[in-house]
Amino acid sequence: MSSKFPDHFLWGGAVAANQVEGAYQTDGKGLSTSDLQPQGIFGAITPRVDGDSGIKDVAIDFYHRYPQDIALFAEMGFKCLRTSIAWTRIFPQGDEEAPNEAGLAFYDRLFDEMARYGIQPLVTLSHYEMPYGLVKQYGGWGNRKTIGFFEHYARTVFERYKHKVQHWLTFNEINMSLHAPFTGVGLAEDSSKSEIYQAIHHQLVASARAVKACHEIVPGGKIGNMLLGGILYPLSSKPEDVLETQRQNRDWLFFGDVQARGGYPAYMRRYFRENGIQVEITAEDQQALRETIDFISFSYYMSGCVTTDEAQNNTARTNILNMVPNPHLASSEWGWQIDPVGLRYLLNVLYDRYQKPLFIVENGLGAKDLVEADGSINDDYRINYLNDHLVQVAEAIDDGVEVMGYTSWGPIDLVSASKAEMSKRYGFIYVDRDDAGNGSLERRRKKSFYWYRDVIQSNGNSLKDKA
Ligand code: BG6
């Protein structure tokens, strides 16, 4: 395939602090909401007892092994690595005035190591975690005060890393709060719709304040949002199904509308009114929301369907968003439907809607890997998945969509977010650790490692039209 990818396309990978770092109490780190979810986002929220460790407490020990891992990313030719800062390393309880120097120093070391290889950081301020102290003392994002704590944290890290980090993201998959309120906004899972949307509103205001702070502090800095790009198709051509699909797509596009357009879209007023949802939005909030993002970033793993037919609505739903399955698509071992064309469609939908540059900051296949007797790992299924998605990215670029980069999810095996499993592997690099936490943590290159290195080296020329 001849390359359609622009020069300076940001090829790389994406990880998150709580899924790789481990060291959950090292150098003064406080407890985060993620530390209270040893079984993952959909597991129970567990009060921590020292010594009662979940798999994330060590994760893949990136906190100590990052120099080796960055060297492997560099060997693949990464131009960019997306990671997050653990808020609790900087402000252990969340409401301190002074930051924790040891936490700040860790990310200095990490960003310096990346710079040695010319790898640009793309940094998420909050990836599925916040200080548990803010949840306990203040009620998480349900409390307006959390906006100020977050802004203080954002300003602190912008000041500290302004000459090391150019690209920032505010909240990972900000729309996920609708499905996982504790993970997203630090609220109980059985919170009311009004409570959840109020917390979301506070988070949207905080996101806009961070955008303003980034523009003020980081010279030439660019900051984006981050959406879970769960695009939905109508299951049939019945007009009611098409309309309901539009409505459900707006459930998540709403976040992008606020962050990219600077205010609440009109359709939300009706949604709030008809569902008895009360949200306090002050004039000052409205003013703050006018500060819009520079680019849109999103994750893409799968698409889903929508139907108004009750019988079909009862079909088994296996993916993270409980979408109605598409009869035309195959699924991964975890029931996530594989739809490369959906990525081209989604890129076009987002570009038509916002006319802002797009950044694909997560995409990948979670699968079980087998280490052969000779130590090799032949993950052709992963190569095929990624190849087919990247071919569609190239098509979207040809359609005229402005795409800044592509960071595949989990370039090194890590702890999965939904169920805290190690066996759901995404990496080009294998990590010797199982679901029970056994293993040497040794790193090993998979077949896909060499494949991705060739893709980057050829700027996409080595992709095959059909895997
Ligand atoms: C996204 C998250 O939802 O999907 C990541 O931003 C997560 O944190 C990824 O790991 C894949 O989900 P899972 O459950 O397979 O890890």
Side-chain angles (χ1 to χ4, degrees):
M1 199 185 99
S2 68
S3 183
K4 292 171 175 147
F5 295 89
D7 295 344
H8 312 297
F9 189 76
L10 291 170
W11 293 100
V15 299
N18 74 82
Q19 292 172 262
V20 293
E21 287 177 2
Y24 86 106
Q25 284 184 310
T26 305
D27 292 337
K29 179 182 171 299
L31 277 183
S32 73
T33 45
S34 168
D35 294 325
L36 270 80
Q37 297 175 299
Q39 305 305 322
I41 299 174
F42 296 113
I45 297 157
T46 321
R48 294 305 309 236
V49 181
D50 279 346
D52 159 26
S53 68
I55 196 162
K56 286 190 269 181
D57 295 1
V58 174
I60 61 162
D61 195 30
F62 185 73
Y63 193 79
H64 300 106
R65 294 170 194 245
Y66 69 87
Q68 180 194 353
D69 296 338
I70 305 286
L72 285 165
F73 297 149
E75 200 181 314
M76 280 186 276
F78 276 27
K79 314 279 182 231
C80 174
L81 178 68
R82 172 180 177 227
T83 190
S84 62
I85 294 177
W87 185 350
T88 48
R89 291 201 191 282
I90 315 302
F91 292 101
Q93 298 304 315
D95 60 356
E96 297 90 341
E97 191 49 46
N100 171 33
E101 177 53 35
L104 287 168
F106 167 67
Y107 293 103
D108 268 322
R109 294 196 295 278
L110 177 63
F111 300 144
D112 290 347
E113 193 68 19
M114 288 161 64
R116 284 183 52 204
Y117 298 98
I119 299 176
Q120 291 189 40
L122 167 64
V123 176
T124 317
L125 291 168
S126 176
H127 189 124
Y128 280 175
E129 58 181 324
M130 70 184 297
Y132 180 57
L134 292 183
V135 174
K136 221 169 45 183
Q137 299 297 323
Y138 301 91
W141 284 100
N143 192 328
R144 209 164 247 289
K145 283 194 176 143
T146 300
I147 301 174
F149 297 132
F150 180 80
E151 187 179 352
H152 182 48
Y153 156 62
R155 285 184 177 270
T156 303
V157 295
F158 292 153
E159 279 295 349
R160 178 75 171 218
Y161 308 120
K162 64 184 171 195
H163 299 305
K164 299 184 181 182
V165 181
Q166 283 281 295
H167 291 106
W168 297 85
L169 303 176
T170 56
F171 295 94
N172 182 64
E173 294 187 339
I174 188 165
N175 46 316
M176 190 62 180
S177 298
L178 295 174
H179 309 275
F182 183 74
T183 300
V185 281
L187 289 188
E189 299 295 298
D190 60 358
S191 303
S192 70
K193 274 264 159 65
S194 291
E195 288 165 330
I196 293 173
Y197 272 104
Q198 185 67 59
I200 284 170
H201 172 70
H202 293 150
Q203 206 169 61
L204 286 166
V205 172
S207 175
R209 293 240 198 123
V211 171
K212 184 162 190 286
C214 180
H215 291 156
E216 284 168 10
I217 298 168
V218 183
K222 299 271 179 236
I223 184 160
N225 64 343
M226 201 300 199
L227 301 168
L228 192 169
I231 191 79
L232 294 162
Y233 307 138
L235 191 63
S236 80
S237 52
K238 200 169 138 199
E240 286 76 7
D241 281 3
V242 176
L243 197 68
E244 178 58 15
T245 305
Q246 181 184 55
R247 196 197 64 69
Q248 290 193 26
N249 273 322
R250 281 173 166 174
D251 282 348
W252 66 271
L253 286 166
F254 152 70
F255 294 82
D257 289 352
V258 176
Q259 293 177 304
R261 292 170 165 168
Y264 275 58
Y267 61 80
M268 264 335 247
R269 277 199 285 276
R270 178 169 184 182
Y271 177 75
F272 284 168
R273 193 176 65 239
E274 291 184 350
N275 290 280
I277 297 169
Q278 314 280 343
V279 181
E280 185 203 40
I281 303 173
T282 66
E284 203 188 337
D285 293 346
Q286 278 170 336
Q287 182 59 35
L289 290 178
R290 293 209 182 105
E291 192 83 22
T292 56
I293 46 172
D294 302 309
F295 63 96
I296 311 276
S297 94
F298 66 93
S299 62
Y300 177 76
Y301 295 91
M302 65 214 148
S303 58
C305 290
V306 171
T307 176
T308 52
D309 175 347
E310 272 316 304
Q312 302 207 67
N313 250 324
N314 291 332
T315 43
R317 302 171 180 213
T318 48
N319 71 30
I320 198 168
L321 294 178
N322 267 332
M323 295 150 152
V324 175
N326 187 327
H328 304 286
L329 299 175
S331 296
S332 77
E333 289 169 273
W334 269 263
W336 294 17
Q337 289 201 296
I338 302 171
D339 179 15
V341 173
L343 179 53
R344 176 180 178 184
Y345 176 64
L346 175 59
L347 282 160
N348 276 280
V349 166
L350 292 173
Y351 198 63
D352 283 353
R353 195 171 182 106
Y354 300 121
Q355 287 97 44
K356 288 193 189 265
L358 304 179
F359 205 143
I360 304 152
V361 298
E362 286 187 32
N363 172 236
L365 179 71
K368 290 189 178 129
D369 288 330
L370 178 71
V371 184
E372 307 284 355
D374 66 358
S376 62
I377 298 147
N378 298 303
D379 55 342
D380 291 292
Y381 35 89
R382 184 168 295 111
I383 294 172
N384 293 344
Y385 177 101
L386 293 169
N387 179 85
D388 292 352
H389 282 76
L390 282 167
V391 165
Q392 295 301 322
V393 175
E395 291 294 342
I397 291 170
D398 219 8
D399 291 334
V401 178
E402 207 179 331
V403 187
M404 296 165 68
Y406 174 92
T407 54
S408 76
W409 177 249
I412 183 165
D413 292 344
L414 39 66
V415 181
S416 85
S418 40
K419 292 198 190 136
E421 296 163 299
M422 272 305 300
S423 52
K424 189 179 189 187
R425 297 174 181 277
Y426 286 88
F428 306 117
I429 301 162
Y430 185 89
V431 176
D432 179 27
R433 193 161 200 235
D434 66 17
D435 288 342
N438 303 310
S440 64
L441 289 167
E442 186 205 355
R443 280 44 172 165
R444 193 179 280 274
R445 295 168 188 79
K446 303 181 194 176
K447 187 174 176 185
S448 56
F449 180 98
Y450 303 101
W451 170 85
Y452 198 44
R453 185 194 58 188
D454 292 347
V455 170
I456 297 176
Q457 218 167 54
S458 66
N459 200 28
N461 263 319
S462 63
L463 293 167
K464 298 206 171 55
D465 280 339
K466 196 84 208 108

